[in-house]
């Protein structure tokens, strides 16, 4: 793990940048919005609720991130108003909704499907937001753009809110899956994520956490990690963990542990595997050597 400090000079380059973000009306998204505005960026925020602040460089578009058409409209607004988008932050989130050890039945006594709202907001909509950002960036040669995903400390832990933890592992998985693809792009495309520990927000009220004896941090701390991930153009596939006001980059160390045990993922082998699987037909291609 690499401890980080984030100085003002590290994030000054965001002046004049166009940033689309979701969940900007409260907590980490609101703190990020305020920091970006202070740095001179232009912010286009999509949220189900209006923001509690107004600014001539802030546009709010009422958006439910689980609605594809709302997300399309959010990015279209940014593009039409500013002509380009430099960064997108997929941040809107909710806490857990499902209890996978609870029985709930319909009127005929059949077991009901679990509540997937948290997976919809915290994973499916995050991927959709990133996908839209990448779509716009790919057509912005030569500048490209960068995606920042709000993951969580629960992306790498046994956190007992299982649907939330599943979604946050998925967010980290999406970043890991995308990095090798973005590195091949002729347009500069970056993707990074933040992993906040307990942070005082609408989702995590300060009093509740403190009553449980747990230290928290201000969302202003987390906002600086978002800004760094956007501003530092050398960052690709990084995960910044923040806790009690301190920062660490943790992805490189985690991947190094895996590589030490399993060896590096050989891109040339992957190319061959995918080519052969594709030749095996439209069924999706059974991988060579597998029986399914
Ligand atoms: N607070 C923490 O301790 C903590 C820790 C790790 C990660 N996170 C993550 O940070 C992100 C922001 O959460 P927060 O803690 O600031 O909570 P918050 O409740 O203060 O903010 C969440 C924002 O998302 C918006 N939102 C929720 N559902 C939406 C939808 N369907 N469409 C559009 N907007 C929607 C809300 O209106 C709100 O403005 C989430 O992804 C959360 O999982 C929070």
């Amino acid at each position: 793990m690499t401890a980080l400090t984030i100085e003002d000079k590290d994030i000054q380059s965001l002046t004049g940048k166009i940033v689309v973000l979701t969940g900007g009306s409260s907590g980490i998204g609101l703190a990020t919005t305020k920091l970006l505005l202070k740095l001179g960026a232009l912010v286009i925020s999509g949220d189900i609720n209006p923001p509690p602040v107004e600014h001539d460089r802030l546009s709010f578009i009422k958006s439910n991130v689980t609605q594809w058409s709302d997300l399309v409209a959010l990015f279209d607004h940014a593009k039409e108003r500013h002509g380009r988008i430099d960064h997108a932050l997929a941040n809107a989130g909710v806490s857990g909704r499902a209890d996978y050890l609870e029985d709930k039945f319909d009127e005929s006594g059949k077991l009901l499907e679990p509540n997937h709202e948290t997976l919809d907001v915290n994973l499916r909509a995050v991927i959709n937001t990133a996908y839209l950002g990448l779509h716009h960036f790919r057509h912005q040669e030569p500048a490209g753009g960068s995606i920042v995903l709000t993951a969580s400390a629960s992306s790498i832990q046994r956190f007992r809110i299982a649907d939330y933890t599943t979604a946050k592992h998925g967010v980290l998985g999406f970043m890991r899956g995308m990095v090798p693809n973005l590195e091949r792009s002729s347009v500069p495309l970056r993707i990074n994520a933040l992993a906040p520990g307990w942070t005082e927000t609408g989702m995590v009220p300060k009093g509740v956490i403190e009553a449980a004896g747990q230290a928290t941090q201000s969302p202003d701390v987390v906002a600086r990690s978002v800004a760094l991930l956007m501003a530092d153009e050398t960052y690709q596939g990084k995960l910044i963990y923040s806790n009690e006001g301190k920062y660490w980059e943790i992805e490189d160390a985690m991947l190094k542990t895996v590589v030490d045990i399993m060896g590096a993922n050989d891109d040339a082998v992957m190319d061959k595997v995918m080519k052969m699987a594709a030749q095996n037909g439209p069924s999706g291609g059974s991988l060579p050597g597998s029986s399914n």
Side-chain angles (χ1 to χ4, degrees):
M1 301 229 289
T2 308
L4 299 173
T5 50
I6 304 176
E7 296 178 25
D8 288 350
K9 68 173 171 47
D10 301 327
I11 53 179
Q12 289 300 341
S13 63
L14 292 175
T15 306
K17 298 295 182 191
I18 316 294
V19 182
V20 174
L21 55 81
T22 64
S25 296
S26 174
I28 291 166
L30 177 60
T32 302
T33 298
K34 288 180 183 168
L35 176 62
L36 290 170
L37 292 172
K38 196 172 145 208
L39 290 166
L42 296 90
V43 179
I44 303 88
S45 172
D47 198 299
I48 39 174
N49 296 312
V53 291
E54 284 186 12
H55 195 286
D56 55 3
R57 278 183 278 106
L58 169 64
S59 344
F60 170 69
I61 306 291
K62 190 173 166 63
S63 325
N64 180 342
V65 293
T66 64
Q67 301 301 310
W68 172 249
S69 56
D70 283 10
L71 283 176
V72 169
L74 176 69
F75 279 83
D76 281 353
H77 175 89
K79 188 78 182 183
E80 280 156 21
R81 179 155 181 195
H82 302 292
R84 65 169 212 280
I85 302 164
D86 299 305
H87 305 281
L89 167 66
N91 169 75
V94 292
S95 57
R97 299 283 191 266
D99 182 345
Y100 299 121
L101 295 177
E102 177 190 42
D103 294 333
K104 276 198 178 168
F105 300 100
D106 68 13
E107 287 137 17
S108 63
K110 299 277 184 210
L111 194 63
L112 284 166
E113 185 179 3
N115 183 330
H116 291 318
E117 190 186 334
T118 299
L119 299 181
D120 269 354
V121 177
N122 293 9
L123 180 57
R124 187 174 63 84
V126 165
I127 293 171
N128 283 347
T129 306
Y131 176 64
L132 268 163
L134 292 169
H135 161 77
H136 285 281
F137 301 157
R138 285 192 293 114
H139 297 96
Q140 292 182 165
E141 289 189 67
S146 94
I147 300 289
V148 177
L149 310 172
T150 301
S152 165
S154 67
S155 295
I156 48 167
Q157 287 182 316
R158 287 180 173 169
F159 190 63
R160 64 195 278 183
I161 306 175
D163 54 346
Y164 184 87
T165 301
T166 303
K168 293 298 181 180
H169 273 63
V171 171
L172 179 57
F174 179 69
M175 179 181 84
R176 288 178 172 168
M178 288 308 293
V179 168
N181 292 293
L182 301 192
E183 282 175 342
R184 291 163 165 242
S185 166
S186 55
V187 184
L189 302 172
R190 297 189 292 118
I191 189 164
N192 294 286
L194 52 141
W198 292 113
T199 306
E200 299 143 23
T201 65
M203 190 187 294
V204 179
K206 184 177 181 178
V208 173
I209 301 301
E210 283 184 351
Q214 181 65 48
T216 60
Q217 62 187 357
S218 157
D220 297 341
V221 169
V222 183
R224 289 179 77 80
S225 67
V226 177
L228 182 69
L229 291 169
M230 290 177 180
D232 190 328
E233 292 182 1
T234 68
Y235 274 34
Q236 176 73 288
K238 305 285 186 195
L239 181 66
I240 296 186
Y241 168 61
S242 56
N243 196 39
E244 294 186 46
K246 297 196 180 106
Y247 308 96
W248 295 263
E249 198 294 308
I250 57 177
E251 178 73 344
D252 287 352
M254 283 193 291
L255 291 182
K256 183 176 181 311
T257 305
V258 173
V259 169
D260 285 349
I261 296 165
M262 298 168 63
N265 215 340
D266 189 325
D267 225 27
V269 171
M270 194 67 197
D271 279 345
K272 275 189 208 155
V273 170
M274 290 185 68
K275 201 170 158 193
M276 289 174 77
Q279 282 167 359
N280 273 2
S283 61
S286 42
L287 292 176
S290 78
S291 54
N292 50 16

